[in-house]
Amino acid sequence: MTEAPAQDRGARSRDAILDTAGELMSRYGYAATSISMISSECGLPASSIYWHFGSKDGIYVAVLERARTALLAALPPAEVPGADVAQRLDGFLAEVEDAFQRHPHGLKLLLGLGMVQQDASAAAVAEVHHYRDALVAWAQDALSAVFGLNDRPDVADELARFTLRMASGTAVARWFEPGAVLETGPLHVALLALAAHHNVLVRGTLGEVDLSRDVTDRE
């Protein structure tokens, strides 16, 4: 009769440790977050933390896994609705911004912004790369749908990585300006220009003008 309550208490303790560790690591980074800091903040003894996770690195990997699962689950399907490129791009960027706003700490952690130091294990580094690979693949599929790039995966890849770099830059800015937001308006313009640079015919924007022609003329 006592086994289930004990399991519930154990699960609650584990979640409390992960909540606290995720908050601290996203704020201070992996190297600067100690077991004693986590213990003090969550109110659980260090022995409980070691019992659940074995080490600080074990906590970090668990935090990363949970953040990755939550973020990827929150992403919309890669098929972006909309009658034209402009509408689809607006929808895509709105979803990116929404995920960015709802998961600020997870985004910092999973982008690896200075938190994977030399003392982090291969498992922690691998988890960050696993997340990045999954996120890049989603962005590639979504932007391929936005711009109709099924036969041009190289362009979809460049657009995806550019978008994620802009999100990364905003996450970096949040270290110094907590209120910094992802500027989707300029990003919208930049993605259209980058697509045009690769001679992608962009319909539904600027009166259905072929932006690539404008870029070529200016060159």
Side-chain angles (χ1 to χ4, degrees):
M1 296 295 292
T2 61
E3 182 177 351
Q7 289 177 345
D8 291 342
R9 286 194 300 272
R12 287 195 297 271
S13 295
R14 189 177 190 278
D15 286 342
I17 294 167
L18 288 177
D19 288 342
T20 301
E23 172 72 28
L24 292 173
M25 288 177 175
S26 70
R27 188 187 308 167
Y28 302 113
Y30 171 81
T33 302
S34 66
I35 293 290
S36 61
M37 288 171 62
I38 297 171
S39 175
S40 176
E41 287 291 322
C42 73
L44 293 168
S47 59
S48 178
I49 297 173
Y50 283 114
W51 187 84
H52 281 289
F53 301 100
S55 65
K56 189 179 84 168
D57 196 73
I59 300 172
Y60 186 43
V61 172
V63 165
L64 289 172
E65 288 175 344
R66 188 169 72 160
R68 173 175 58 83
T69 300
L71 271 169
L72 294 179
L75 294 175
E79 288 297 324
V80 184
D84 53 41
V85 170
Q87 289 182 10
R88 293 194 295 272
L89 186 55
D90 281 339
F92 167 74
L93 291 176
E95 294 290 355
V96 172
E97 183 179 22
D98 182 61
F100 191 91
Q101 293 296 335
R102 287 189 290 117
H103 300 275
H105 301 312
L107 191 65
K108 281 185 178 181
L109 288 164
L110 291 165
L111 288 170
L113 301 175
M115 285 174 284
V116 179
Q117 307 292 335
Q118 291 182 354
D119 53 347
S121 72
V125 175
E127 182 60 34
V128 171
H129 284 291
H130 181 50
Y131 164 76
R132 282 176 169 172
D133 290 344
L135 194 56
V136 167
W138 171 80
Q140 287 171 342
D141 290 343
L143 286 165
S144 181
V146 167
F147 288 97
L149 298 172
N150 291 333
D151 59 342
R152 303 196 58 187
D154 56 326
V155 178
D157 179 70
E158 183 174 343
L159 293 175
R161 292 180 187 277
F162 177 80
T163 300
L164 297 178
R165 288 187 190 111
M166 295 305 99
S168 299
T170 304
V172 170
R174 281 187 169 178
W175 287 107
F176 309 99
E177 302 174 34
V181 297
L182 182 62
E183 298 287 351
T184 55
L187 183 53
H188 185 286
V189 174
L191 287 170
L192 289 175
L194 187 56
H197 175 73
H198 288 286
N199 299 315
V200 175
L201 183 62
V202 180
R203 294 291 184 183
T205 60
L206 299 181
E208 296 193 349
V209 172
D210 183 349
L211 297 181
S212 63
R213 183 178 305 159
D214 180 61
V215 172
T216 302
D217 289 345
R218 285 187 286 106
E219 290 176 349

